[in-house]
Amino acid sequence: MLKRNLLMLAGVVGLAILPLVIHHGGNAEFAGADGEAEALIGEIRPDYKPWAAPLWEPPSGEIESLLFALQAAIGAGLVGFYFGRRTAPARAADKS
Amino acid sequence: MHIMEGFLPASHALFWGAASAPFVVYGARRIITLVREKPETKMLMAASGAYVFVLSALKIPSVTGSCSHPTGTGLAASLFGPTVTTVLGTIVLLFQALLLAHGGLTTLGANVFSMAIVGPFVAYGLFHGLQKVGASAALAIFFAAALGGLATYCVTALQLAAAFPDPATGVAGAAVKFLAVFAPTQVPLAISEGLLTVVVFNLLQRYSRGELSALNIISGKA
């Protein structure tokens, strides 16, 4: 099971690296698909003006990535805490 | 899949808000019942919500040369059902709308509908349906997570097409265009999400048998 899990994790990492290799030296921008959809709206309806603006926007790319990292860290921390709690008794029982 | 703040006409924003609200209310009631009747599953529920937090924060490069993120809702939907996941997904979308200017409050209803309703329902249906026809739980959760995520992006494309029909080819023409933006980018990410969710599920099957059998995910005693 461990081996199969590691293989699947390697697959996930591989799938994330592959695009970088394929487009190496090319002109792929790796922009967000959400942004591309926004650009497409501009093409279809050049006159469309968004009628609401976000209440607050991260003042810079750095702060935005800070908050994204925070989001991932909160999530990963909780998932790690959960599995820590669950695996500890199992390990202790294995030993006794 | 986040439709940006203000990028849906008010009538569409209202429609999706009204369509999503009952699912959020029902899901919240389901969570209250579940916590009261099966308190031992509380921590797994929090962990499944946390999994949505992690995956939807990761913007991953795709073979199309653009970046997108998985949704992570397949795990919670398979374990706890779709409407519980609606609430978990709504929390994530609110976090992103308020703090990251990613998505928005006027488009919250539409984004909840794609990521926290349709995706989870597709995932839940596949997880249970595939097992009924004989697939292993691991295989079922792979397709649940992968296709649930993909379904979310298809819904976003259709929502945008309905709001911004192509002047020449109409809603259908716009749908093709928006699907072309999202779908090819999302396919490899869906596979990644499927694989990752199988890994988590394997760990749960090993370490969380008690909770999985309380949720009737696996049969037999802990």
Side-chain angles (χ1 to χ4, degrees), chain B residues 74-112:
Chain B
L75 180 70
S78 299
L79 298 179
F80 292 96
T83 53
V84 168
T85 314
T86 303
V87 178
L88 301 175
T90 304
I91 296 170
V92 176
L93 288 168
L94 261 178
F95 178 95
Q96 295 186 322
L98 292 174
L99 293 180
L100 290 158
H102 211 67
L105 294 178
T106 61
T107 52
L108 185 66
N111 290 332
V112 165

Short mmCIF file of all heavy atoms in Angstrom, two decimals, chain B residues 74-112:
data_model
loop_
_atom_site.label_atom_id
_atom_site.label_comp_id
_atom_site.label_asym_id
_atom_site.label_seq_id
_atom_site.Cartn_x
_atom_site.Cartn_y
_atom_site.Cartn_z
N GLY B 74 -14.24 16.47 -3.70
CA GLY B 74 -14.64 15.07 -3.90
C GLY B 74 -14.54 14.23 -2.65
O GLY B 74 -15.39 13.36 -2.40
N LEU B 75 -13.52 14.47 -1.84
CA LEU B 75 -13.33 13.66 -0.62
C LEU B 75 -14.48 13.87 0.35
O LEU B 75 -15.14 12.91 0.78
CB LEU B 75 -12.00 14.03 0.04
CG LEU B 75 -11.69 13.26 1.33
CD1 LEU B 75 -11.38 11.80 1.02
CD2 LEU B 75 -10.52 13.89 2.08
N ALA B 76 -14.75 15.13 0.68
CA ALA B 76 -15.82 15.42 1.64
C ALA B 76 -17.16 14.94 1.11
O ALA B 76 -17.98 14.38 1.86
CB ALA B 76 -15.87 16.92 1.94
N ALA B 77 -17.41 15.13 -0.20
CA ALA B 77 -18.69 14.72 -0.78
C ALA B 77 -18.87 13.21 -0.67
O ALA B 77 -19.95 12.72 -0.35
CB ALA B 77 -18.79 15.18 -2.23
N SER B 78 -17.80 12.45 -0.93
CA SER B 78 -17.90 11.00 -0.87
C SER B 78 -18.13 10.54 0.56
O SER B 78 -18.89 9.61 0.81
CB SER B 78 -16.62 10.35 -1.41
OG SER B 78 -16.42 10.72 -2.75
N LEU B 79 -17.47 11.18 1.52
CA LEU B 79 -17.56 10.73 2.91
C LEU B 79 -18.83 11.22 3.59
O LEU B 79 -19.50 10.48 4.29
CB LEU B 79 -16.35 11.22 3.71
CG LEU B 79 -14.97 10.73 3.27
CD1 LEU B 79 -13.90 11.34 4.15
CD2 LEU B 79 -14.89 9.21 3.32
N PHE B 80 -19.17 12.51 3.40
CA PHE B 80 -20.23 13.12 4.19
C PHE B 80 -21.47 13.46 3.39
O PHE B 80 -22.46 13.94 3.93
CB PHE B 80 -19.71 14.39 4.88
CG PHE B 80 -18.70 14.10 5.95
CD1 PHE B 80 -17.35 14.17 5.66
CD2 PHE B 80 -19.10 13.73 7.22
CE1 PHE B 80 -16.41 13.88 6.64
CE2 PHE B 80 -18.18 13.44 8.20
CZ PHE B 80 -16.82 13.52 7.91
N GLY B 81 -21.41 13.29 2.07
CA GLY B 81 -22.56 13.65 1.26
C GLY B 81 -22.40 15.05 0.69
O GLY B 81 -21.61 15.84 1.20
N PRO B 82 -23.16 15.32 -0.37
CA PRO B 82 -22.95 16.57 -1.11
C PRO B 82 -23.30 17.84 -0.35
O PRO B 82 -22.58 18.84 -0.45
CB PRO B 82 -23.84 16.41 -2.34
CG PRO B 82 -24.77 15.29 -2.04
CD PRO B 82 -24.11 14.41 -1.02
N THR B 83 -24.38 17.85 0.43
CA THR B 83 -24.78 19.15 1.00
C THR B 83 -23.89 19.58 2.16
O THR B 83 -23.68 20.78 2.37
CB THR B 83 -26.26 19.12 1.47
OG1 THR B 83 -26.44 18.02 2.34
CG2 THR B 83 -27.19 19.03 0.29
N VAL B 84 -23.33 18.60 2.90
CA VAL B 84 -22.34 18.95 3.92
C VAL B 84 -21.16 19.65 3.25
O VAL B 84 -20.64 20.67 3.73
CB VAL B 84 -21.87 17.69 4.68
CG1 VAL B 84 -20.64 17.99 5.54
CG2 VAL B 84 -22.99 17.12 5.53
N THR B 85 -20.78 19.12 2.08
CA THR B 85 -19.68 19.70 1.32
C THR B 85 -20.02 21.09 0.81
O THR B 85 -19.13 21.94 0.68
CB THR B 85 -19.32 18.77 0.14
OG1 THR B 85 -19.26 17.44 0.64
CG2 THR B 85 -17.99 19.15 -0.47
N THR B 86 -21.30 21.33 0.53
CA THR B 86 -21.72 22.66 0.11
C THR B 86 -21.30 23.69 1.15
O THR B 86 -20.77 24.75 0.82
CB THR B 86 -23.25 22.72 -0.09
OG1 THR B 86 -23.64 21.72 -1.02
CG2 THR B 86 -23.70 24.08 -0.58
N VAL B 87 -21.54 23.37 2.42
CA VAL B 87 -21.19 24.31 3.49
C VAL B 87 -19.67 24.49 3.57
O VAL B 87 -19.16 25.62 3.64
CB VAL B 87 -21.75 23.82 4.85
CG1 VAL B 87 -21.35 24.77 5.96
CG2 VAL B 87 -23.26 23.69 4.77
N LEU B 88 -18.94 23.37 3.53
CA LEU B 88 -17.47 23.45 3.61
C LEU B 88 -16.93 24.29 2.44
O LEU B 88 -16.07 25.16 2.62
CB LEU B 88 -16.85 22.05 3.57
CG LEU B 88 -17.28 21.08 4.68
CD1 LEU B 88 -16.68 19.69 4.46
CD2 LEU B 88 -16.84 21.62 6.04
N GLY B 89 -17.45 24.04 1.24
CA GLY B 89 -16.98 24.77 0.05
C GLY B 89 -17.34 26.25 0.13
O GLY B 89 -16.56 27.11 -0.29
N THR B 90 -18.51 26.55 0.68
CA THR B 90 -18.93 27.95 0.81
C THR B 90 -17.98 28.72 1.73
O THR B 90 -17.64 29.87 1.47
CB THR B 90 -20.38 28.03 1.35
OG1 THR B 90 -21.22 27.28 0.47
CG2 THR B 90 -20.87 29.46 1.40
N ILE B 91 -17.53 28.05 2.81
CA ILE B 91 -16.58 28.70 3.73
C ILE B 91 -15.30 29.06 2.98
O ILE B 91 -14.78 30.17 3.09
CB ILE B 91 -16.26 27.76 4.92
CG1 ILE B 91 -17.52 27.53 5.75
CG2 ILE B 91 -15.14 28.34 5.77
CD1 ILE B 91 -17.38 26.44 6.80
N VAL B 92 -14.80 28.11 2.16
CA VAL B 92 -13.58 28.36 1.40
C VAL B 92 -13.79 29.51 0.42
O VAL B 92 -12.95 30.42 0.31
CB VAL B 92 -13.15 27.09 0.63
CG1 VAL B 92 -11.93 27.37 -0.23
CG2 VAL B 92 -12.85 25.96 1.61
N LEU B 93 -14.93 29.49 -0.29
CA LEU B 93 -15.20 30.54 -1.28
C LEU B 93 -15.34 31.91 -0.62
O LEU B 93 -14.90 32.92 -1.17
CB LEU B 93 -16.45 30.19 -2.09
CG LEU B 93 -16.26 29.04 -3.08
CD1 LEU B 93 -17.59 28.55 -3.62
CD2 LEU B 93 -15.35 29.48 -4.23
N LEU B 94 -15.91 31.94 0.58
CA LEU B 94 -16.03 33.21 1.31
C LEU B 94 -14.65 33.73 1.70
O LEU B 94 -14.34 34.92 1.55
CB LEU B 94 -16.88 33.02 2.57
CG LEU B 94 -18.33 33.43 2.50
CD1 LEU B 94 -19.03 33.11 3.81
CD2 LEU B 94 -18.46 34.92 2.20
N PHE B 95 -13.82 32.83 2.21
CA PHE B 95 -12.44 33.19 2.58
C PHE B 95 -11.74 33.83 1.38
O PHE B 95 -11.12 34.89 1.48
CB PHE B 95 -11.70 31.92 3.04
CG PHE B 95 -10.25 32.12 3.41
CD1 PHE B 95 -9.88 32.34 4.73
CD2 PHE B 95 -9.25 32.06 2.45
CE1 PHE B 95 -8.54 32.51 5.08
CE2 PHE B 95 -7.91 32.23 2.78
CZ PHE B 95 -7.55 32.46 4.11
N GLN B 96 -11.87 33.16 0.22
CA GLN B 96 -11.17 33.66 -0.97
C GLN B 96 -11.78 34.95 -1.50
O GLN B 96 -11.06 35.82 -2.00
CB GLN B 96 -11.17 32.58 -2.05
CG GLN B 96 -10.37 31.36 -1.62
CD GLN B 96 -10.23 30.34 -2.72
OE1 GLN B 96 -11.15 30.13 -3.50
NE2 GLN B 96 -9.08 29.70 -2.79
N ALA B 97 -13.10 35.09 -1.39
CA ALA B 97 -13.74 36.30 -1.89
C ALA B 97 -13.37 37.50 -1.02
O ALA B 97 -13.12 38.60 -1.53
CB ALA B 97 -15.26 36.11 -1.93
N LEU B 98 -13.33 37.29 0.30
CA LEU B 98 -13.11 38.42 1.20
C LEU B 98 -11.64 38.78 1.35
O LEU B 98 -11.28 39.94 1.42
CB LEU B 98 -13.72 38.12 2.58
CG LEU B 98 -15.25 38.04 2.60
CD1 LEU B 98 -15.74 37.60 3.97
CD2 LEU B 98 -15.86 39.37 2.21
N LEU B 99 -10.77 37.77 1.42
CA LEU B 99 -9.36 38.06 1.71
C LEU B 99 -8.48 38.10 0.47
O LEU B 99 -7.45 38.74 0.45
CB LEU B 99 -8.80 37.01 2.69
CG LEU B 99 -9.39 37.05 4.10
CD1 LEU B 99 -8.76 36.00 4.96
CD2 LEU B 99 -9.18 38.43 4.71
N LEU B 100 -8.86 37.36 -0.59
CA LEU B 100 -7.96 37.23 -1.73
C LEU B 100 -8.46 37.95 -2.97
O LEU B 100 -7.79 37.95 -3.98
CB LEU B 100 -7.77 35.76 -2.06
CG LEU B 100 -6.94 35.00 -1.01
CD1 LEU B 100 -7.22 33.52 -1.08
CD2 LEU B 100 -5.47 35.27 -1.24
N ALA B 101 -9.64 38.58 -2.88
CA ALA B 101 -10.26 39.18 -4.06
C ALA B 101 -10.32 38.15 -5.19
O ALA B 101 -10.13 38.44 -6.35
CB ALA B 101 -9.51 40.44 -4.52
N HIS B 102 -10.58 36.91 -4.78
CA HIS B 102 -10.63 35.79 -5.72
C HIS B 102 -12.06 35.29 -5.70
O HIS B 102 -12.52 34.78 -4.70
CB HIS B 102 -9.67 34.72 -5.22
CG HIS B 102 -9.06 33.91 -6.31
ND1 HIS B 102 -8.18 34.45 -7.21
CD2 HIS B 102 -9.20 32.62 -6.64
CE1 HIS B 102 -7.81 33.52 -8.06
NE2 HIS B 102 -8.41 32.40 -7.74
N GLY B 103 -12.77 35.47 -6.82
CA GLY B 103 -14.21 35.27 -6.76
C GLY B 103 -14.80 36.54 -6.18
O GLY B 103 -14.15 37.58 -6.18
N GLY B 104 -16.02 36.49 -5.67
CA GLY B 104 -16.60 37.71 -5.13
C GLY B 104 -17.90 37.44 -4.42
O GLY B 104 -18.41 36.31 -4.45
N LEU B 105 -18.43 38.47 -3.77
CA LEU B 105 -19.69 38.29 -3.05
C LEU B 105 -20.87 38.26 -4.01
O LEU B 105 -21.80 37.48 -3.83
CB LEU B 105 -19.88 39.43 -2.03
CG LEU B 105 -18.86 39.43 -0.88
CD1 LEU B 105 -19.09 40.61 0.05
CD2 LEU B 105 -18.91 38.12 -0.09
N THR B 106 -20.83 39.09 -5.08
CA THR B 106 -21.95 39.07 -6.02
C THR B 106 -21.95 37.78 -6.83
O THR B 106 -22.99 37.35 -7.32
CB THR B 106 -21.89 40.26 -7.01
OG1 THR B 106 -20.67 40.16 -7.76
CG2 THR B 106 -21.90 41.59 -6.28
N THR B 107 -20.78 37.16 -6.99
CA THR B 107 -20.71 35.92 -7.76
C THR B 107 -20.63 34.70 -6.85
O THR B 107 -20.45 33.59 -7.33
CB THR B 107 -19.50 35.94 -8.71
OG1 THR B 107 -18.33 36.26 -7.95
CG2 THR B 107 -19.67 36.96 -9.81
N LEU B 108 -20.77 34.92 -5.53
CA LEU B 108 -20.65 33.80 -4.59
C LEU B 108 -21.66 32.69 -4.89
O LEU B 108 -21.30 31.51 -4.91
CB LEU B 108 -20.84 34.31 -3.15
CG LEU B 108 -20.63 33.27 -2.04
CD1 LEU B 108 -19.17 32.82 -2.00
CD2 LEU B 108 -21.02 33.83 -0.68
N GLY B 109 -22.91 33.09 -5.18
CA GLY B 109 -23.93 32.10 -5.46
C GLY B 109 -23.56 31.21 -6.63
O GLY B 109 -23.68 29.98 -6.56
N ALA B 110 -23.08 31.82 -7.70
CA ALA B 110 -22.70 31.05 -8.89
C ALA B 110 -21.51 30.15 -8.59
O ALA B 110 -21.47 28.98 -9.00
CB ALA B 110 -22.37 32.00 -10.05
N ASN B 111 -20.53 30.68 -7.86
CA ASN B 111 -19.35 29.88 -7.54
C ASN B 111 -19.69 28.74 -6.58
O ASN B 111 -19.15 27.63 -6.70
CB ASN B 111 -18.24 30.77 -6.98
CG ASN B 111 -17.65 31.68 -8.03
OD1 ASN B 111 -17.65 31.36 -9.22
ND2 ASN B 111 -17.16 32.85 -7.61
N VAL B 112 -20.58 29.01 -5.62
CA VAL B 112 -21.03 27.95 -4.72
C VAL B 112 -21.73 26.86 -5.53
O VAL B 112 -21.51 25.67 -5.33
CB VAL B 112 -21.97 28.50 -3.62
CG1 VAL B 112 -22.72 27.37 -2.91
CG2 VAL B 112 -21.19 29.32 -2.61
#
